[in-house]
């Protein structure tokens, strides 16, 4: 597909993220950065501290609870 093709003319499948890329857990460790980004927040020291506390309390499930 040409990069000069207008967005509106691209098919729905070309504009969506494949399902296999949307799953949160791939067997890797969940970092505070992952939690902050999944919550739609900026990576700030305050938000990273919030995410660290959330991970301590909930474990890796904290990320799953934030994602649809």
């Amino acid at each position: 597909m040409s990069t000069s093709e207008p967005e509106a003319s691209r098919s729905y499948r070309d504009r969506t993220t494949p399902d296999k890329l949307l799953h949160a857990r791939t067997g890797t460790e969940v970092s505070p950065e992952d939690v902050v980004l999944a919550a739609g927040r900026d990576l700030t020291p305050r938000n990273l501290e919030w995410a660290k506390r959330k991970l301590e309390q909930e474990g890796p499930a904290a990320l799953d609870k934030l994602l649809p």
Side-chain angles (χ1 to χ4, degrees):
M1 176 175 292
S2 170
T3 57
S4 63
E5 188 174 336
E7 182 75 21
S9 67
R10 293 173 57 196
S11 75
Y12 173 75
R13 288 192 183 276
D14 291 339
R15 292 180 288 174
T16 57
T17 303
D19 188 52
K20 67 182 178 181
L21 297 178
L22 295 176
H23 296 286
R25 302 279 302 276
T26 61
T28 60
E29 290 292 319
V30 177
S31 71
E33 291 85 358
D34 294 333
V35 175
V36 170
L37 294 174
R41 298 180 179 193
D42 293 327
L43 288 172
T44 64
R46 182 178 179 192
N47 288 339
L48 287 170
E49 285 302 316
W50 165 81
K52 287 177 189 176
R53 288 190 309 272
K54 192 164 183 64
L55 281 171
E56 288 172 4
Q57 294 171 357
E58 301 175 22
L63 184 64
D64 296 330
K65 291 178 182 179
L66 291 169
L67 298 173

